[in-house]
Amino acid sequence: MSADSATPADQPRAEARRAQILAAASDCFHAHGFHGSSISQISKAAGMSAGHIYHYFENKEAIIAAIVEQDIERLQEMTDDMRAAENPLEAMMESIDAAVAEHMQPDHAPLKLEIVAEAGRNPHIAAAVHAADAKIMGAFEETIGLIRRAGGHQDDSREIRGRTEIISALFEGLIARSIRNPAIDKETTLRIFRQIVRDLLQR
Amino acid sequence: MSADSATPADQPRAEARRAQILAAASDCFHAHGFHGSSISQISKAAGMSAGHIYHYFENKEAIIAAIVEQDIERLQEMTDDMRAAENPLEAMMESIDAAVAEHMQPDHAPLKLEIVAEAGRNPHIAAAVHAADAKIMGAFEETIGLIRRAGGHQDDSREIRGRTEIISALFEGLIARSIRNPAIDKETTLRIFRQIVRDLLQR
DNA sequence: TAACATAGAATGAGCGTTCAATCTAGAACA
DNA sequence: TGTTCTAGATTGAACGCTCATTCTATGTTA
């Protein structure tokens, strides 16, 4: 018996293949949507056969779920950085511009909305989205709680959570607005957006 | 035989059939999404054959576009009512609770997001969504401009538009939040939401 | 009669998924 | 060393099914 289970060289290889599929799927989904991208398309983009994808993912849903999980890691890093900053309030204010710009990128906005829409109907996607949201919102709440306490406020947890929800809703809403009205005046909108966030954080 | 229950009139017969299809399609889309609803399903729900649907709509996309157009009529009525009210500010504040509750209805939220996501990729849907948005945003801006002027403010049109965009983004964002976090504390969130809207309208 | 409403079958393409068959590279052995 | 063994990686065809759309034929009305 091979007590030293699973050849050591296999681990990074499988990992690489998985990443390869995820990257290809992400490209396809962004370009044509979840339902508009076929396994065959994804396999071509990933440079492998269609059947082989099922060695790494149970089905198409599992690919989306993995992309959702992957996405939150970046967000988590962002809030971690803020919390570690010397002045978390200003760190957050400074990162808003980039975050909004990224959220409103026309190539990425549709998939973000589509994933949420899918979560509203598909229990498997819903599970992944809920778990991801709980994680990232927890981190976000911590950061905002820190900023509020530094500003001399003593809110209960519901208040912190509510303010966090509203800031998140604003971000998410801007994604939709950027699609509904591509001619949106980003400068003015961003100015008002920043003012509201600042109020929510320190007033 | 000639005792038809629903539509007694002769001329708007085609109109009635169209409405019948739209209602059935709306039900299907809300339940299973745009891509998850087949023409066959819709035709069954509408009580007619699949082929017959193509007498009234060029294709599946055209059905979604018609639903988008239909949806804004209700929104338009809402802002018209506000503008006609004795105190538009309070009329708007009073309608917020119902509007938020409706936006966050779990049965309706996914399709709203899905339509925007689809508009981000599909030019035909995009055209319908952009036209609808221009119309409703114009009406909304008028109402908000009226409230601001009544409050003694002299904003330029960009400012009005920006504030309107942010309020719209908040509404839209809450749809997404209600799906990402179904356990959201609606009471607290709504309280903060109302405060922000009030600030945007009168401060 | 002409014109429209409607049904239902036909079409052809594409889907997600499965699976038996092959390849490949390293371990075990001689 | 060279040879055999083996297990995972990979392929590509095939399956059964559903899809949006079109076509043809029949029913209805005026």
Side-chain angles (χ1 to χ4, degrees):
Chain A
M1 291 287 193
S2 50
D4 290 354
S5 62
T7 52
D10 275 6
Q11 199 90 346
R13 183 182 200 162
E15 202 74 28
R17 279 275 177 279
R18 251 185 84 97
Q20 199 177 339
I21 294 168
L22 282 183
S26 182
D27 286 351
C28 289
F29 290 160
H30 278 116
H32 313 108
F34 181 44
H35 297 281
S37 304
S38 68
I39 292 287
S40 156
Q41 263 178 276
I42 294 167
S43 74
K44 260 167 212 148
M48 67 183 66
S49 73
H52 195 38
I53 288 189
Y54 289 84
H55 254 256
Y56 297 97
F57 294 93
E58 201 194 335
N59 50 32
K60 211 179 161 187
E61 271 178 12
I63 301 178
I64 273 265
I67 288 179
V68 169
E69 278 164 33
Q70 194 180 244
D71 271 0
I72 60 160
E73 278 169 33
R74 273 189 40 254
L75 280 172
Q76 189 115 31
E77 276 174 33
M78 218 175 74
T79 60
D80 286 350
D81 288 350
M82 284 180 205
R83 229 172 312 149
E86 203 178 321
N87 185 341
L89 169 63
E90 292 310 321
M92 185 171 283
M93 292 309 297
E94 268 164 37
S95 67
I96 281 182
D97 291 55
V100 168
E102 199 201 304
H103 269 70
M104 291 172 80
Q105 224 178 302
D107 298 349
H108 285 45
L111 185 58
K112 285 180 203 287
L113 297 177
E114 200 184 11
I115 285 175
V116 186
E118 191 69 21
R121 297 206 191 82
N122 184 326
H124 295 110
I125 307 294
V129 165
H130 294 163
D133 192 68
K135 210 167 168 182
I136 193 62
M137 286 296 279
F140 205 20
E141 274 169 39
E142 255 185 68
T143 309
I144 288 178
L146 186 73
I147 293 172
R148 296 279 302 165
R149 281 191 298 278
H153 295 89
Q154 288 180 307
D155 321 285
D156 61 7
S157 65
R158 297 172 97 219
E159 182 69 27
I160 300 281
R161 187 164 299 206
R163 286 171 188 247
T164 308
E165 282 288 354
I166 292 289
I167 292 176
S168 304
L170 265 166
F171 268 103
E172 204 112 34
L174 281 180
I175 302 178
R177 289 305 310 154
S178 71
I179 297 179
R180 280 208 204 264
N181 174 17
I184 186 172
D185 176 353
K186 288 184 192 172
E187 198 189 311
T188 307
T189 310
L190 191 58
R191 199 194 70 233
I192 301 170
F193 178 80
R194 291 172 61 86
Q195 186 55 52
I196 290 180
V197 173
R198 200 175 269 282
D199 284 354
L200 282 168
L201 293 179
Q202 59 184 11
R203 193 203 283 164
Chain B
M1 268 191 199
S2 55
D4 272 329
S5 53
T7 59
D10 294 24
Q11 224 181 3
R13 179 184 198 162
E15 201 73 28
R17 279 275 177 279
R18 250 186 84 98
Q20 199 177 338
I21 294 169
L22 282 183
S26 181
D27 286 351
C28 288
F29 290 160
H30 278 116
H32 313 110
F34 181 44
H35 296 281
S37 305
S38 69
I39 292 288
S40 157
Q41 262 178 278
I42 295 167
S43 74
K44 260 167 212 147
M48 67 183 67
S49 72
H52 195 38
I53 287 189
Y54 289 84
H55 255 257
Y56 297 97
F57 294 93
E58 200 194 335
N59 51 35
K60 212 178 159 186
E61 269 178 15
I63 300 179
I64 272 266
I67 288 179
V68 170
E69 278 164 33
Q70 193 180 246
D71 271 359
I72 60 160
E73 279 169 34
R74 271 190 39 256
L75 280 172
Q76 190 114 33
E77 275 174 33
M78 218 176 74
T79 60
D80 286 352
D81 287 351
M82 285 179 204
R83 229 172 313 149
E86 203 177 322
N87 185 340
L89 169 63
E90 291 311 321
M92 185 171 283
M93 292 309 298
E94 267 164 39
S95 67
I96 281 181
D97 291 56
V100 168
E102 198 200 304
H103 269 70
M104 290 172 80
Q105 223 179 305
D107 298 348
H108 285 46
L111 185 58
K112 284 179 203 286
L113 297 177
E114 200 184 11
I115 285 175
V116 185
E118 191 69 22
R121 297 203 192 87
N122 184 327
H124 295 110
I125 308 296
V129 166
H130 294 162
D133 192 68
K135 210 167 169 182
I136 192 63
M137 286 298 277
F140 205 19
E141 274 169 40
E142 255 185 70
T143 310
I144 288 178
L146 186 73
I147 293 173
R148 297 280 302 164
R149 279 191 299 278
H153 295 88
Q154 289 180 307
D155 322 285
D156 61 8
S157 64
R158 298 174 95 217
E159 183 68 29
I160 300 282
R161 186 163 301 204
R163 285 170 188 249
T164 309
E165 282 287 355
I166 292 289
I167 292 176
S168 304
L170 266 166
F171 269 103
E172 204 112 35
L174 281 180
I175 303 177
R177 290 305 311 155
S178 71
I179 297 179
R180 281 207 203 263
N181 175 17
I184 187 171
D185 176 353
K186 287 185 192 171
E187 197 189 311
T188 307
T189 310
L190 192 59
R191 199 194 71 233
I192 301 171
F193 178 80
R194 291 172 61 86
Q195 186 54 54
I196 289 180
V197 174
R198 202 175 266 281
D199 283 355
L200 282 169
L201 292 179
Q202 60 183 11
R203 193 202 284 165

